[in-house]
Amino acid sequence: MLDQFSIFTRGGILLWSKTFAPVKGDPLNALIRTCLLEDRTGEASFSYVSSLGGSYTIKWTLNNKLGLVYAAIYQKNLKIGYVESLLQKVNRAFSKEYADEKNVPIGFEDSFMVLLEDAEREKKEAAFQPKKGKQEEQQRQQENEAADTGAEEELVDEVEIGKAGEGEDGPAFNAEVLKKKMLGKKGGAPTIQPKKGDAKKKGKKARQWNDFGIEQSVPETNLDFTEGAPPEEATMQQQVESFQQMSLMDVEEEVSDVELEEDEPSGGKSSSLLSSFVRNIGVNVMGTQALSREDIDPSLQDLKKKLMERNVAEEIANKLIESVAASLVGQKLSSFTRVSSAVRKSVEEALVRILTPKKSIDILRGVKESKARGKPYVIVFVGVNGVGKSTNLSKVAYWLLQNHHKVMIAACDTFRSGAVEQLKTHCTRLGVSLYERGYEKDPAKVAFEATKAAQREGCDVVLVDTAGRMQDNEPLMRALSNLISFNSPDLVLFVGEALVGNDAVDQLTKFNKRLADLASDPDPHLIDGIVLTKFDTIDEKVGAALSMVYTSGAPIVFVGCGQTYVDLKRLNVKSVVNSLLK
């Protein structure tokens, strides 16, 4: 017997409900939190155990067109066979009368009771029906199988007769007979079983075609690539040994200043951003006593346009040109060199002010301080899907190993298929420990257990890999907020792509906002730093770095610049400035 039947919208508004017996706990809210909000709508049933002692099974169906959910609740130890049929009947009946949330069908309880009686009656009638029909169906299946088997045997015999009637150079069998037999059976083409005593099965034959589609013979040895190959352990050891190069984090990057072009470049190529800006000012106001805002405003607008072409957000571009204008207004023009140096100094100072972090993050010092307290240093990597969190986490692990710290990686991406296996590969190659509990586990608990395990094993750092999630996905953002609140990590790093431009700014802003809104702590832990990936693919379009730092106030801690473990470096402000100005 049912305990409760409810109809509500996907937004959580209860439209109609019928209670047959008191329900302990709140199974509907548990269904919404566990299945609907996390988009686990493929599961047609859900088990709920209340802290008050109730244990229930909830079966539901969705009406995506109207955005309605129909849920039937009954005791878990009961097996009610008509629930699926009842859900479909109620869905059809209610949908015909439902208009919107303000116009719920009146008197639906009478219609529901009729539908319930129909479903119960149909189930009883089906249970008392004789099983003759089922037996007849099984008998028909056996007859069909026997007919198919006889046809196959007959076909094999005819093939063997065909073989015996031909010479050694003739065809193997009569193709016309085979074709007729295959087309004459409704059950499809029969399988020809080889007779006992046939020749031994040959191995796979190498086949190769030339440019004209003609098959060529290939020596069989070409298919064997295992001969002389080193054992798997030796290959893995060679891979680990090849990673003993120094990480780019510990290599000083040499950056030269951008040279200003005094003349238009030859060949019709456009001049650099800085030289074009200087030239415009020089042409407009050469010979005047001092620069005014009216003199430089056209050039400022051109500078803003070119900055936005390099992926700088409009708000940051406005901030930058205002800073440049404030430093240039009132400057006297004595020569072109004076203008160039003034512009370079002004633009560089403005960019450096934006890119210079308001707070310093020294991970190696933090690791030493945590080690002195007897606790591992915990870093959580967050971000949207496909930005390279796992790969750059492995690069950070490699850099920490270079600095003689023991690392453990926690596989807290329990949603994406293959995430744990990907980390296993990295950990095997790096020689670090991996803490994982498989899939569909609570990431917050996995991270907590990983921290405890790292403390027992004497690990200095725990790198927590989380599932990629869009900034508007509230259930996953809530899970991330819970992970951060429950574990109190030392550092939360946002991983973003350098090539997405201003989308990264929107992602970072909304990540911070959702973490602040969903946190139970009045002083929530937000994003501490940024990992900028795929920096080697953007050329001079480095504006995303400028925009992300300005928007969040968080510094760029790591920059991913390649495919290997050593391709991780610090953000060089001078390099970004030069990329923007060239």
Side-chain angles (χ1 to χ4, degrees):
M1 179 180 176
L2 292 180
D3 288 7
Q4 190 179 83
F5 194 100
S6 300
I7 304 174
F8 56 95
T9 66
R10 296 200 67 170
I13 300 176
L14 183 64
L15 301 179
W16 182 87
S17 181
K18 173 68 175 176
T19 302
F20 297 92
V23 177
K24 298 180 181 179
D26 197 353
L28 282 183
N29 280 333
L31 170 68
I32 293 172
R33 286 194 307 268
T34 307
C35 298
L36 300 182
L37 289 181
E38 295 185 4
D39 289 333
R40 297 184 181 180
T41 53
E43 304 173 4
S45 64
F46 168 68
S47 296
Y48 171 74
V49 179
S50 172
S51 58
L52 302 176
S55 180
Y56 301 95
T57 296
I58 308 173
K59 289 191 176 182
W60 76 92
T61 186
L62 297 177
N63 187 321
N64 291 319
K65 183 177 180 180
L66 299 176
L68 301 179
V69 183
Y70 303 86
I73 304 173
Y74 56 93
Q75 296 290 332
K76 189 175 181 180
N77 57 354
L78 298 179
K79 292 184 179 181
I80 305 178
Y82 60 83
V83 176
E84 291 83 358
S85 174
L86 177 63
L87 288 170
Q88 298 300 326
K89 290 177 180 292
V90 175
N91 183 11
R92 288 193 295 268
F94 191 85
S95 301
K96 292 178 181 179
E97 304 178 21
Y98 176 77
D100 53 43
E101 298 170 3
K102 298 180 180 179
N103 298 298
V104 180
I106 300 175
F108 185 71
E109 182 172 347
D110 295 335
S111 302
F112 174 79
M113 296 305 298
V114 172
L115 295 174
L116 178 60
E117 291 176 1
D118 290 344
E120 291 177 344
R121 184 180 64 256
E122 290 174 1
K123 180 62 179 175
K124 290 179 181 178
E125 291 176 354
F128 286 104
Q129 282 182 356
K131 299 182 180 180
K132 182 178 179 181
K134 186 175 181 181
Q135 294 175 355
E136 292 179 354
E137 183 179 355
Q138 291 178 351
Q139 185 176 358
R140 285 197 301 270
Q141 291 179 354
Q142 293 175 358
E143 291 176 355
N144 292 336
E145 291 175 359
D148 292 342
T149 304
E152 291 176 10
E153 293 175 354
E154 181 182 357
L155 180 59
V156 172
D157 293 339
E158 293 189 8
V159 169
E160 294 298 329
I161 293 171
K163 287 183 180 179
E166 298 290 345
E168 293 183 357
D169 298 331
F173 56 86
N174 192 334
E176 292 298 327
V177 174
L178 177 63
K179 185 176 180 180
K180 290 178 181 179
K181 290 295 181 181
M182 291 176 66
L183 295 178
K185 290 300 296 176
K186 295 182 180 179
T191 303
I192 301 177
Q193 301 291 338
K195 295 187 68 175
K196 296 182 180 180
D198 284 351
K200 187 178 179 182
K201 184 179 178 181
K202 297 182 180 180
K204 184 177 180 180
K205 181 181 178 182
R207 304 179 69 185
Q208 193 175 74
W209 289 265
N210 58 17
D211 296 336
F212 301 100
I214 301 175
E215 185 177 353
Q216 297 176 336
S217 59
V218 182
E220 294 185 2
T221 55
N222 286 3
L223 287 180
D224 188 4
F225 296 100
T226 59
E227 185 175 355
E232 184 178 355
E233 294 78 4
T235 306
M236 185 60 65
Q237 183 64 28
Q238 291 175 2
Q239 289 177 337
V240 175
E241 289 176 357
S242 66
F243 298 148
Q244 301 307 312
Q245 308 172 36
M246 183 177 291
S247 173
L248 295 181
M249 285 288 295
D250 300 320
V251 177
E252 289 292 334
E253 185 178 1
E254 297 181 0
V255 182
S256 58
D257 292 334
V258 174
E259 297 293 335
L260 286 176
E261 303 168 4
E262 297 188 8
D263 301 321
E264 288 288 345
S266 60
K269 295 182 180 179
S270 59
S271 58
S272 68
L273 181 148
L274 190 57
S275 63
S276 175
F277 179 56
V278 172
R279 186 176 297 105
N280 289 339
I281 295 178
V283 171
N284 291 336
V285 298
M286 184 63 68
T288 60
Q289 294 298 319
L291 293 173
S292 64
R293 180 59 185 255
E294 291 75 16
D295 294 328
I296 64 175
D297 193 61
S299 300
L300 287 174
Q301 295 305 317
D302 185 55
L303 175 63
K304 173 186 173 181
K305 178 182 177 182
K306 292 190 175 181
L307 285 172
M308 292 177 65
E309 289 175 353
R310 285 163 170 76
N311 275 349
V312 178
E314 184 177 6
E315 181 184 2
I316 288 86
N318 287 328
K319 181 83 173 178
L320 179 61
I321 64 173
E322 288 299 325
S323 177
V324 173
S327 61
L328 286 179
V329 171
Q331 288 274 3
K332 292 183 179 181
L333 287 176
S334 58
S335 65
F336 181 81
T337 305
R338 173 69 180 275
V339 177
S340 66
S341 58
V343 171
R344 163 168 284 283
K345 182 179 179 182
S346 176
V347 174
E348 282 188 349
E349 287 178 352
L351 292 174
V352 169
R353 277 196 299 270
I354 295 174
L355 289 172
T356 301
K358 306 298 183 293
K359 57 180 179 180
S360 176
I361 295 180
D362 191 340
I363 294 179
L364 296 180
R365 185 178 66 181
V367 172
K368 292 180 180 178
E369 292 175 353
S370 293
K371 189 176 181 180
R373 296 193 300 267
K375 295 182 178 180
Y377 190 82
V378 181
I379 306 176
V380 176
F381 291 77
V382 303
V384 300
N385 309 76
V387 294
K389 289 185 299 299
S390 302
T391 301
N392 284 274
L393 176 147
S394 303
K395 294 180 183 180
V396 174
Y398 179 83
W399 170 65
L400 292 169
L401 292 172
Q402 292 284 313
N403 287 273
H404 312 292
H405 292 297
K406 189 176 181 180
V407 180
M408 174 179 285
I409 295 178
C412 295
D413 183 354
T414 61
F415 296 96
R416 176 173 66 89
S417 298
V420 176
E421 288 75 14
Q422 181 183 6
L423 287 179
K424 283 181 180 178
T425 302
H426 286 304
C427 290
T428 302
R429 299 183 70 185
L430 293 171
V432 301
S433 302
L434 173 67
Y435 188 90
E436 57 92 12
R437 283 294 177 264
Y439 297 98
E440 297 185 1
K441 300 295 189 299
D442 185 2
K445 292 183 179 179
V446 176
F448 180 79
E449 294 171 359
T451 305
K452 294 299 182 183
Q455 190 171 5
R456 290 193 301 269
E457 296 180 14
C459 294
D460 303 325
V461 186
V462 178
L463 303 179
V464 179
D465 182 41
T466 62
R469 66 205 75 210
M470 296 306 295
Q471 61 271 23
D472 298 320
N473 190 325
E474 183 168 344
L476 292 181
M477 290 302 301
R478 189 180 297 277
L480 179 62
S481 176
N482 183 40
L483 185 149
I484 295 174
S485 300
F486 187 67
N487 291 278
S488 301
D490 298 281
L491 198 63
V492 178
L493 297 180
F494 176 83
V495 185
E497 288 180 331
L499 52 84
V500 297
N502 293 330
D503 284 345
V505 178
D506 179 66
Q507 295 166 4
L508 183 55
T509 304
K510 290 186 177 179
F511 255 79
N512 257 338
K513 185 176 184 304
R514 297 308 296 157
L515 289 178
D517 293 343
L518 297 173
S520 56
D521 192 344
D523 186 19
H525 191 156
L526 304 181
I527 293 171
D528 300 307
I530 300 168
V531 180
L532 201 59
T533 66
K534 307 176 185 179
F535 199 71
D536 55 320
T537 65
I538 56 174
D539 296 328
E540 76 276 2
K541 294 187 177 183
V542 296
L546 192 69
S547 301
M548 293 171 73
V549 173
Y550 175 81
T551 303
S552 66
I556 295 178
V557 184
F558 300 106
V559 174
C561 55
Q563 299 296 319
T564 64
Y565 291 134
V566 300
D567 293 325
L568 188 75
K569 63 181 182 180
R570 306 177 193 274
L571 180 71
N572 191 305
V573 175
K574 194 172 183 180
S575 174
V576 175
V577 171
N578 287 352
S579 297
L580 284 170
L581 298 183
K582 69 181 180 180

